[in-house]
Amino acid sequence: MATGRERGGSRKERSAETEQALKDAARRLFAERGYLNTKIVDITAAAGRSAGSFYNHFAGKEELLQALLKDFAAAGDISAETSAHDPDFTAPSAVAFHIEQYWRFSRLHWPVLRAVVQAALVDEDFARTASRLGTAQLEEVVDHLDGFEAAGLQPPGTPEVSVAMMFLLVRAMVDAVEEGMLDVTDKQAIEALTRFCYRGLTGRDY
């Protein structure tokens, strides 16, 4: 006969499995149809769970998206992955490294990042979250242009504007690939983006 501890553990495991199933289903649906067009009943149906089970874990779709954001933040962000990199964008290898890291990060988390952008259109909390994400990205690498003046280089705009253009271009390309508008491999995209961004930032050929 199962003990109370064993039964409790089983309930806890089932609860964790349901929560993960709901998150996985939400990621798929956010990618397929977008955050705004996804309903809670769609998520529970895709997860193979009852509609009522959703509210045992999340107060609403917004809270589920917040949980997905916490998950990928806990798994590690770009700053953690690039802690030992070359921070000098006068070197093409430094630009290449950041392009690849941001490309892979954006593709891995695209359903959640896209959902945040869409949620920001109708929710002030997510608008602030999207703004914080963008600001954090800029703050992490804006000093990578500090060596330009000594190298006799003139970026296309202020350091903040120049770095923002690089990030926005990568994200736009990721969106095009994920939405099926552009047929390109990761390697091809990363190489093309690196050449384009390095030349745009420095005026030098890559």
Side-chain angles (χ1 to χ4, degrees):
M1 181 177 179
T3 66
R5 182 183 295 273
E6 289 170 339
R7 288 197 298 272
S10 179
R11 286 195 297 272
K12 186 176 181 180
E13 290 171 1
R14 288 197 298 271
S15 176
E17 289 173 358
T18 295
E19 181 176 339
Q20 190 59 52
L22 291 169
K23 288 179 178 178
D24 291 342
R27 281 179 57 93
R28 291 196 304 272
L29 292 175
F30 292 164
E32 292 170 4
R33 63 182 68 175
Y35 175 82
L36 298 178
N37 293 326
T38 299
K39 299 177 182 179
I40 289 174
V41 292
D42 299 328
I43 295 171
T44 54
R49 300 300 197 273
S50 66
S53 70
F54 182 95
Y55 296 99
N56 292 329
H57 300 276
F58 308 105
K61 190 172 63 169
E62 298 81 8
E63 188 171 298
L64 187 155
L65 180 53
Q66 291 285 6
L68 290 174
L69 274 169
K70 290 179 182 177
D71 285 350
F72 89 63
D77 59 17
I78 293 179
S79 62
E81 294 171 354
T82 62
S83 59
H85 67 280
D86 180 358
D88 182 5
F89 272 8
T90 65
S93 59
V95 176
F97 183 85
H98 282 77
I99 292 290
E100 179 173 3
Q101 291 295 321
Y102 191 61
W103 175 269
R104 298 193 185 282
F105 175 87
S106 297
R107 291 212 67 184
L108 178 63
H109 298 296
W110 183 76
V112 178
L113 294 171
R114 180 194 191 211
V116 170
V117 170
Q118 294 176 343
L121 298 174
V122 296
D123 188 302
E124 290 185 0
D125 287 339
F126 281 109
R128 286 190 288 269
T129 296
S131 178
R132 285 196 301 269
L133 287 172
T135 299
Q137 290 165 355
L138 290 178
E139 289 178 346
E140 288 170 6
V141 299
V142 71
D143 63 348
H144 292 18
L145 276 67
D146 285 354
F148 273 44
E149 184 176 355
L153 300 174
Q154 180 66 49
T158 66
E160 291 81 7
V161 168
S162 300
V163 170
M165 288 192 292
M166 182 179 77
F167 281 133
L168 289 169
L169 178 59
V170 175
R171 277 297 304 277
M173 285 278 287
V174 168
D175 287 345
V177 170
E178 293 289 350
E179 293 172 0
M181 295 185 293
L182 189 63
D183 183 15
V184 62
T185 67
D186 287 343
K187 181 179 180 181
Q188 290 170 335
I190 291 167
E191 289 179 350
L193 283 165
T194 298
R195 287 194 298 270
F196 189 91
C197 289
Y198 183 73
R199 184 176 297 174
L201 288 170
T202 67
R204 296 173 172 173
D205 287 336
Y206 176 70

